[in-house]
Amino acid sequence: MTKLSIGLDMDGVLAQLLQHLLEELKTLSGVPADLTVADITSWDIAACPKLVHLKREQILSMMDQPEWFTRFAPVDGACAAVESLVTHGHNVWVITATPGRNAERDAHVEQSKLKWLRKHIPCLSSDQVVFKHGSQKVNHGYDVLVEDHPDTMVAYAKAHPRSLVVGIKYPYNTHIPHMSPSGIRTARDFEELLNHGGTGFGDKSDLIEHACGPRNIRLADGWDDTAQAWRS
């Protein structure tokens, strides 16, 4: 089987950051109780119609609570999929961002994220976790990147045209140019392709070309057929 290097974003891909954030925002004055992920149609959450009365710093301050990043539920199917990729011998990395507002805060976030990973995906060691600001992710060349930030997906696909970029679909990233999956509906389908579809391929570039076609970004409806986290 072809062994691949796979970079996984954390927030929104492995951990349900947005879902947790929305529940906390609902405790603020003026935030409607029926706010859902479907309402977040822009990466700039403060620009979303139901939240425009909030200041951006109000929203960001939610993330400054101690160990805030340890509280998220995993994205449905993500932990099992990562374990499967590791079991099949792929070289898996988590590449995740810190807020970047100050060094002390970033250090706390790093420790919180490592704590979350130790709890939910213990098959990964701290040596397999890379902390980079979003724009710096393009400096790391993986065969496959799983991501949710629309700008990062586009920039990475441009910088690494022979890599496969798998986007976990959210309302804020469906506008980017991508190829509609043919027989591939979810990220779990990609996992199955990577783990079992490599037999008979000459090398990993053949496998990625088979997955990508002429455009190397694919959006997937989560990790498996039962994943509903981003729709609730």
Side-chain angles (χ1 to χ4, degrees):
M1 186 205 312
T2 304
K3 306 299 183 184
L4 301 173
S5 61
I6 302 171
L8 304 172
D9 182 34
M10 184 169 171
D11 303 324
V13 171
L14 302 178
Q16 295 184 31
L17 180 150
L18 182 58
Q19 293 82 350
H20 184 83
L21 176 61
L22 295 187
E23 288 305 310
E24 294 203 351
L25 289 176
K26 289 178 188 178
T27 67
L28 300 180
S29 176
V31 177
D34 63 351
L35 179 70
T36 70
V37 172
D39 296 309
I40 311 303
T41 55
S42 169
W43 181 262
D44 180 6
I45 190 172
C48 296
K50 290 186 178 181
L51 297 173
V52 290
H53 64 288
L54 297 178
K55 294 181 179 179
R56 183 171 288 101
E57 192 55 39
Q58 251 183 303
I59 298 173
L60 293 177
S61 67
M62 290 281 188
M63 304 180 190
D64 288 333
Q65 302 172 59
E67 298 203 338
W68 190 77
F69 285 86
T70 66
R71 303 175 189 172
F72 314 145
V75 171
D76 288 354
C79 299
V82 174
E83 290 174 2
S84 176
L85 291 170
V86 171
T87 298
H88 282 83
H90 297 296
N91 189 14
V92 178
W93 299 80
V94 172
I95 181 164
T96 184
T98 53
R101 296 202 290 278
N102 65 72
E104 183 179 0
R105 174 62 185 144
D106 283 355
H108 286 305
V109 171
E110 289 181 12
Q111 291 306 309
S112 292
K113 289 192 172 192
L114 289 171
K115 184 175 180 178
W116 188 96
L117 288 166
R118 284 194 298 269
K119 177 180 178 180
H120 294 287
I121 313 180
C123 63
L124 296 179
S125 73
S126 59
D127 293 336
Q128 292 168 278
V129 183
V130 178
F131 291 99
K132 293 289 182 181
H133 299 311
S135 61
Q136 298 174 329
K137 288 185 179 181
V138 297
N139 298 328
H140 293 258
Y142 301 105
D143 297 314
V144 182
L145 177 72
V146 186
E147 176 64 61
D148 69 313
H149 193 310
D151 293 345
T152 300
M153 283 190 275
V154 172
Y156 199 92
K158 182 177 180 180
H160 304 280
R162 298 300 303 162
S163 295
L164 169 62
V165 180
V166 181
I168 301 298
K169 188 186 295 183
Y170 285 90
Y172 52 74
N173 63 26
T174 55
H175 65 283
I176 66 172
H178 65 278
M179 198 173 179
S180 297
S182 174
I184 299 177
R185 250 179 1 105
T186 70
R188 176 59 60 84
D189 294 329
F190 284 102
E191 179 228 323
E192 289 298 314
L193 174 67
L194 298 182
N195 284 342
H196 306 295
T199 304
F201 290 96
D203 56 33
K204 62 187 177 184
S205 64
D206 291 340
L207 174 60
I208 293 171
E209 183 172 357
H210 175 83
C212 297
R215 190 177 287 160
N216 62 329
I217 299 179
R218 295 291 187 94
L219 291 183
D221 290 320
W223 281 99
D224 59 29
D225 292 337
T226 63
Q228 300 291 326
W230 48 90
R231 301 174 192 156
S232 60

